[in-house]
Amino acid sequence: MQREQPSYYSILPAPVRYDKRLTPNAKILYAEITSLTNQLGFCYATNRYFEELFQVSTQSINFWLKQLEDLGYIQRHLYRDEGTKEILNRYISIFEKPIQENLNRPIQAFFKDNT
């Protein structure tokens, strides 16, 4: 695969950054995926691309991707050959999770530390 030139910045939103269930390297992988999605809206980089970029094993990349997918931060879309079931393409898209905060409470509860 030709070396993709990601944008100059990546995004690491607070829910990902502070999620204690994710390993630090999974968070960095998420940031890299966001920088690769800026152009087309999805990332089509292969595991080999990430392996060479981060100098880690296939198992590490698979583990980090599985963590991100299981926790709902990314979605992987696989396209297979109908006859052989061989994977032809894989696309990764960022899945924006809504803020997990209860907004159905009195406004005073939001400002209790401010009074």
Side-chain angles (χ1 to χ4, degrees):
M1 177 176 165
Q2 180 181 348
R3 189 95 179 174
E4 180 73 25
Q5 289 296 323
S7 65
Y8 290 107
Y9 66 93
S10 59
I11 300 168
L12 192 59
V16 176
R17 193 168 54 243
Y18 298 119
D19 193 333
K20 295 188 184 312
R21 300 168 296 176
L22 287 173
T23 61
N25 289 334
K27 295 173 187 183
I28 293 171
L29 178 61
Y30 180 88
E32 183 66 24
I33 291 169
T34 64
S35 71
L36 292 170
T37 59
N38 283 336
Q39 185 177 16
L40 299 173
F42 59 87
C43 170
Y44 60 88
T46 62
N47 283 7
R48 184 170 308 275
Y49 170 82
F50 293 127
E51 292 166 24
E52 292 173 4
L53 182 66
F54 296 121
Q55 297 294 300
V56 296
S57 68
T58 303
Q59 291 83 5
S60 295
I61 298 297
N62 285 332
F63 179 70
W64 301 337
L65 286 170
K66 182 162 176 31
Q67 274 189 321
L68 291 167
E69 187 173 36
D70 288 348
L71 294 173
Y73 294 115
I74 64 168
Q75 290 180 330
R76 291 187 278 184
H77 309 280
L78 299 176
Y79 296 93
R80 298 178 183 268
D81 181 22
E82 290 184 23
T84 64
K85 301 295 182 190
E86 177 185 1
I87 297 174
L88 300 174
N89 293 313
R90 176 197 64 194
Y91 300 102
I92 302 171
S93 57
I94 302 298
F95 185 70
E96 298 291 334
K97 290 177 73 169
I99 297 173
Q100 302 296 319
E101 186 173 324
N102 183 8
L103 298 177
N104 296 324
R105 57 185 179 191
I107 191 124
Q108 292 81 12
F110 287 108
F111 301 111
K112 66 180 176 184
D113 294 332
N114 204 13
T115 56

